[in-house]
Amino acid sequence: MPSMTVASCLQDALIRLQAEGIEGARLDVRILLAEALGKETSFILGYPEYAVSGDALARFEAMIVRRVAREPVARILGRREFWSLSFRISADTLDPRPDSETLISAVLERVSQTEKPLRVLDLGTGTGCLLLTLLHELPGAIGTGVDLSPAAVEMAALNAMDLGLSERASFCVGDWCNGLEGGWDMIISNPPYIGEREKNTLAPEVLNFDPPMALFAGDDGMLDYQRLIPQAAERLSVGGILVIEAGVHQAAPINNIMSACGLTCETAVSDLGGIARACIAKKTAADPRA
Ligand SMILES: C[S@@+](CC[C@H](N)C(=O)[O-])C[C@H]1O[C@@H](n2cnc3c(N)ncnc32)[C@H](O)[C@@H]1O
């Protein structure tokens, strides 16, 4: 393979990605070339004449072929940064989204003492990004992540190990709260919430690469909220909170389900795009439906 420079590699790859209509192509090619070279992205900007050859060039080419096929950069790298922590991702896990950080900030704003020994349950844990981020921020907390996918559970456990949180995090395969006891101070969940009827509107990066069981929840996207919220309401401690991620226009129906379960809802917290994203409710009575 002929030798090329950083600048010529970037330019060639940029043309190929832009021809596919890929948004953010300029940043993508910088990140991928840095990865292929084993350097920081600042190196890519600072050394345009650096020669790229041999294995690095072959690695870069393989990554560009994957990106042209619309595989997201995080999947090509095998990791995603969430709340400034690095998480491994795989074909069996959702690629964590920045919008989900809204749940983290909503929870942290409501915890007065970070050292408190809280018990946290994360339903549909995927990579474990929500639970592990909370345990990272709340050193007194312990928690459990549940997922229907055994491969996701394995990945979450690996992420816990990477982040030095294995002693406070446990993971299990399960169908929402089935088989779980109560007594949780906080239950969080980012369940599947895309309607099957919206399938054709999804970007190929989502439709072809996120696992379907992490995306779809019946025809209108509400199916899993309807299943898991009553189960979670039963298992919360009195005084405990339930924090659920909502899709566009889903916050109001989610609040209706939470209220019907006897929980007291707050106004949902919006993400940076202004979408009501984190639905929050408190259990104020021992029997939520009493
Ligand atoms: C939208 S993803 C969220 C993953 C992760 N919590 C995050 O925020 O990136 C939903 C997760 O729920 C899991 N899931 C789907 N149905 C489930 C069920 N019945 N019980 C438990 N987990 C389920 C999926 O495997 C997937 O990991």
Side-chain angles (χ1 to χ4, degrees):
M1 223 177 271
S3 174
M4 292 175 76
T5 63
V6 160
S8 60
C9 279
L10 290 178
Q11 188 55 26
D12 278 13
L14 184 62
I15 291 167
R16 288 161 68 189
L17 265 55
Q18 283 177 337
E20 294 300 319
I22 293 175
E23 282 178 28
R26 195 172 295 275
L27 181 60
D28 288 0
V29 296
R30 282 183 196 150
I31 293 171
L32 294 175
L33 185 54
E35 179 78 4
L37 286 166
K39 308 267 189 200
E40 299 292 324
T41 42
S42 54
F43 178 90
I44 302 299
L45 295 175
Y47 296 91
E49 296 310 320
Y50 184 84
V52 184
S53 56
D55 288 351
L57 193 55
R59 276 196 298 274
F60 182 56
E61 172 58 21
M63 290 180 192
I64 293 301
V65 168
R66 290 170 71 178
R67 187 69 192 102
V68 165
R70 305 299 293 260
E71 188 167 351
V73 168
R75 291 205 179 276
I76 297 169
L77 301 180
R79 59 178 191 274
R80 159 71 69 185
E81 194 173 299
F82 181 85
W83 200 263
S84 299
L85 298 171
S86 180
F87 290 88
R88 297 179 200 233
I89 65 173
S90 75
D92 302 296
T93 63
L94 187 86
D95 176 2
R97 308 292 204 270
D99 291 338
S100 301
E101 293 182 343
T102 312
L103 270 71
I104 303 295
S105 41
V107 168
L108 295 179
E109 277 165 20
R110 280 156 187 80
V111 176
S112 49
Q113 296 162 305
T114 56
E115 302 291 333
K116 240 176 155 180
L118 296 171
R119 290 188 69 213
V120 183
L121 175 63
D122 177 18
L123 298 173
T125 199
T127 55
C129 62
L130 298 179
L131 176 67
L132 295 172
T133 301
L134 287 176
L135 297 188
H136 181 264
E137 296 295 321
L138 303 171
I142 57 168
T144 297
V146 179
D147 206 288
L148 198 55
S149 156
V153 165
E154 268 178 40
M155 186 56 73
L158 207 56
N159 280 322
M161 224 149 58
D162 287 351
L163 294 166
L165 292 167
S166 295
E167 287 193 359
R168 290 191 288 127
S170 61
F171 295 95
C172 60
V173 177
D175 181 2
W176 301 133
C177 295
N178 278 347
L180 291 180
E181 303 212 323
W184 302 94
D185 301 302
M186 192 184 296
I187 302 183
I188 52 170
S189 185
N190 173 19
Y193 56 67
I194 299 175
E196 293 279 353
R197 62 186 178 208
E198 294 168 62
K199 216 173 195 167
N200 294 337
T201 66
L202 298 178
E205 279 84 351
V206 177
L207 188 60
N208 299 336
F209 294 97
D210 279 314
M213 71 186 281
L215 297 178
F216 300 109
D219 196 44
D220 65 356
M222 293 301 295
L223 189 67
D224 284 304
Y225 295 128
Q226 283 151 356
R227 289 188 60 216
L228 78 87
I229 292 172
Q231 298 178 18
E234 270 182 23
R235 286 161 179 83
L236 270 180
S237 300
V238 174
I241 59 168
L242 176 60
V243 183
I244 304 272
E245 177 161 328
V248 179
H249 303 312
Q250 288 173 327
I254 290 170
N255 280 349
N256 288 341
I257 302 171
M258 297 206 289
S259 300
C261 294
L263 302 177
T264 306
C265 298
E266 290 183 26
T267 306
V269 178
S270 295
D271 64 20
L272 295 175
I275 292 165
R277 189 64 74 185
C279 293
I280 303 157
K282 193 169 192 168
K283 181 163 175 173
T284 49
D287 178 356
R289 271 154 287 190

